[in-house]
Amino acid sequence: MGFTLIEVLVTLSIISLIGLLSINSFDKILEYNNLNTSAILLARDIKMCQYISMEEGVRTQILLDFLENRYHLIKVEKLPKVFSTSYLKDGISFSWTNFSKKLIEFDPVGCPDMSDVGTPDKGGTIAIKSMSNRYLYVIITPVTGYVRISENPP
């Protein structure tokens, strides 16, 4: 009243196949989680720079470093000073941005990317991607500086 060798081998084969398929799915879930977390943290830091600009009445900047997949938060009082550096999660990288010089700047009232005449003229987008070329976009709305995350490019 036991199991035959064939029954045991078939059962182990099925269990192994299910395990192999679930590991592949788990990797994709983990990769998307890293992408989503990186976008949320970047959006949070952009909002924090806006808040610091408004609260302290100083200019703040975010300098994107595409080579190292990191960004620096900078407070510009008399001289620029980096007050925080953050890295994107493993396997996540910057893809592109339409901010000139890869620099996002907020004036003392929290408006993004000021023009030469002192009016808020431009928002922008930062695209980040995973190793499987899945993208998320951190979008800053012109004039208001509203920050949002989207799976679709603007």
Side-chain angles (χ1 to χ4, degrees):
M1 256 242 189
F3 296 106
T4 66
L5 181 60
I6 299 287
E7 291 172 331
V8 171
L9 289 176
V10 168
T11 303
L12 287 176
S13 296
I14 292 171
I15 291 172
S16 297
L17 183 62
I18 291 171
L20 184 64
L21 293 175
S22 65
I23 288 173
N24 189 24
S25 295
F26 181 73
D27 286 344
K28 288 181 181 179
I29 291 169
L30 187 61
E31 183 179 276
Y32 182 73
N33 184 47
N34 283 344
L35 179 64
N36 199 37
T37 301
S38 292
I40 289 169
L41 292 175
L42 177 58
R44 180 203 64 186
D45 287 343
I46 292 169
K47 291 174 188 177
M48 182 175 66
C49 275
Q50 287 177 307
Y51 176 77
I52 289 171
S53 288
M54 291 183 288
E55 182 69 22
E56 298 180 15
V58 297
R59 295 181 84 78
T60 56
Q61 300 173 335
I62 301 170
L63 180 61
L64 306 173
D65 183 349
F66 276 46
L67 296 176
E68 298 290 328
N69 291 316
R70 65 182 177 183
Y71 54 93
H72 307 283
L73 307 181
I74 302 166
K75 193 185 297 185
V76 182
E77 293 173 291
K78 293 179 183 170
L79 296 172
K81 180 181 177 185
V82 174
F83 66 90
S84 179
T85 298
S86 298
Y87 289 84
L88 299 179
K89 296 281 187 183
D90 290 337
I92 308 303
S93 60
F94 288 112
S95 178
W96 59 268
T97 185
N98 61 347
F99 285 104
S100 61
K101 301 178 187 174
K102 298 179 180 123
L103 181 72
I104 305 164
E105 188 168 9
F106 297 100
D107 72 352
V109 294
C111 292
D113 203 36
M114 299 299 287
S115 69
D116 294 334
V117 293
T119 58
D121 64 347
K122 174 181 170 188
T125 303
I126 304 161
I128 59 175
K129 70 175 183 171
S130 66
M131 290 187 299
S132 63
N133 287 328
R134 191 167 188 174
Y135 289 83
L136 280 179
Y137 304 91
V138 179
I139 302 165
I140 303 173
T141 305
V143 181
T144 63
Y146 177 71
V147 181
R148 65 185 173 95
I149 299 169
S150 177
E151 291 183 348
N152 303 315

